[in-house]
Amino acid sequence: DRIFGNEGIIATKNLRDNKSNINNITLLGISIAVVLMINILSYSMAQDTINYYKDFTYDIRIYTWPMDRTTESILLSIDGVADTYGSYEQDHTDIVNKDAQITVIDGIDPNKHLDYIKLSTKEKDFQKLLNQLNDERNIIVTYTLKDELGIQKGDYLKLKTERGAFPYRVIGYFDSDRYNGSYSLIGERYIKSDMAKKKYSRIYIKTNKNSEEVAENIREKFKRRYAYVTTLNQQKEDNLKSTAKLMGIFQGFGILALIIGVFGVFNNLIINFIERKRSLAVLRSIGMNKKQSIKIIFIEAFTGGLIGSLVGISMSALLIWAVCKVIEALGGSMRDFIHISGTTLIQALLAGIIITIVASISPALKSSKLNIIDSIKYE
């Protein structure tokens, strides 16, 4: 009442009692919710990709065959190669006593691993834990596996390997989004002896020159072995491009939903005006002037747009929560994945208000030109 006066009271009653206004709020809310959900997921995937590659401190990665000490020696002889690190990898290892599976186990060199791949953890002396991996059959698992399988420090995980089932003692945890969190570390000594890994799964390279130039030198050196050589920057760019393509498809559906919603809002407001011509004329006949009728229409538009935007933001939160639950149910991990930009929420709020205000311009102009007598007669 203090802000909008008597016109605000009338507009509020119209919003509450008029089905067209309620339909507008619902339609606007659904449209904004879909677009906002897609934008937040798209932004989150891009941010997650960027954050993912922050953990890697190597410059180049190479796949070729065979990958062994000899391959490392050849790499070290190439101009620009400063250091190399060969990593062993075992896929899809069954945990016999947990009726579960670890997607990837890395057999690492504790002295070099953190120089190439950073690991986030709450452990106080993580390097000390890594050093224990080659002492005996010890394993460090992700917090994701810890939570999913109820793993505690000191538990033994009986891993099914090429040479039988061996018990590995859990000595610590770390955080990682690699392989959806189904990922663990053991010592390279045991991945070679228990899992019969004789060749590296990949070799990481650090350079002391431009990584693109060094990568080209490596390709030239290994051209007869059809080596796959890629820089860290190229990996990140390729991932961002593939993410953008995927989300671009979904954004197309989101834009389509928004367009349908906008046209629906315009249509509903026109219908609403036609239905209310008689009531507007009655108000004009008892003293309401043109400016006041226009003010009522715009107050309705502003308030409806604001409520519709808030409904859309709330609905998008529920949709994102549902998506996260579905992904987690399928075995994925959404830990620290969703990144919500305050700017995006403000834009959604303003978009809803602007859409309804713009859609109200035509009804407002028509109301100012209303013929009172003809409109009162209107049925």
Side-chain angles (χ1 to χ4, degrees), residues 331-348:
S333 174
M334 299 296 289
R335 183 189 295 269
D336 300 325
F337 175 78
I338 300 300
H339 303 273
I340 299 176
S341 168
T343 304
T344 302
L345 298 180
I346 293 171
Q347 288 173 345

Side-chain angles (χ1 to χ4, degrees), residues 10 39 41 43 55 71 82 85 102-103 107 119 123 160 186-187 190 201 207-208 223 227 251 266 271 339 354 362 370:
I10 296 171
N39 284 339
L41 289 177
Y43 175 77
D55 292 338
T71 305
Y85 171 45
I102 301 175
T103 302
L119 296 174
E123 305 288 354
K160 185 178 180 181
I186 64 174
Y190 290 100
S201 300
T207 66
N208 51 25
K223 63 181 179 182
Q251 283 174 340
F266 273 77
I271 293 172
H339 303 273
I354 290 169
S362 177
L370 203 63

Side-chain angles (χ1 to χ4, degrees), residues 46-58:
Q47 286 298 118
D48 197 57
T49 299
I50 293 169
N51 292 337
Y52 176 81
Y53 283 100
K54 285 180 181 178
D55 292 338
F56 299 113
T57 55
Y58 63 86

Side-chain angles (χ1 to χ4, degrees), residues 209-225:
K209 290 187 176 181
N210 182 277
S211 60
E212 295 293 343
E213 293 178 6
V214 177
E216 193 56 43
N217 293 338
I218 294 171
R219 292 188 191 100
E220 181 63 27
K221 187 74 173 181
F222 286 88
K223 63 181 179 182
R224 293 183 180 179
R225 288 168 59 171

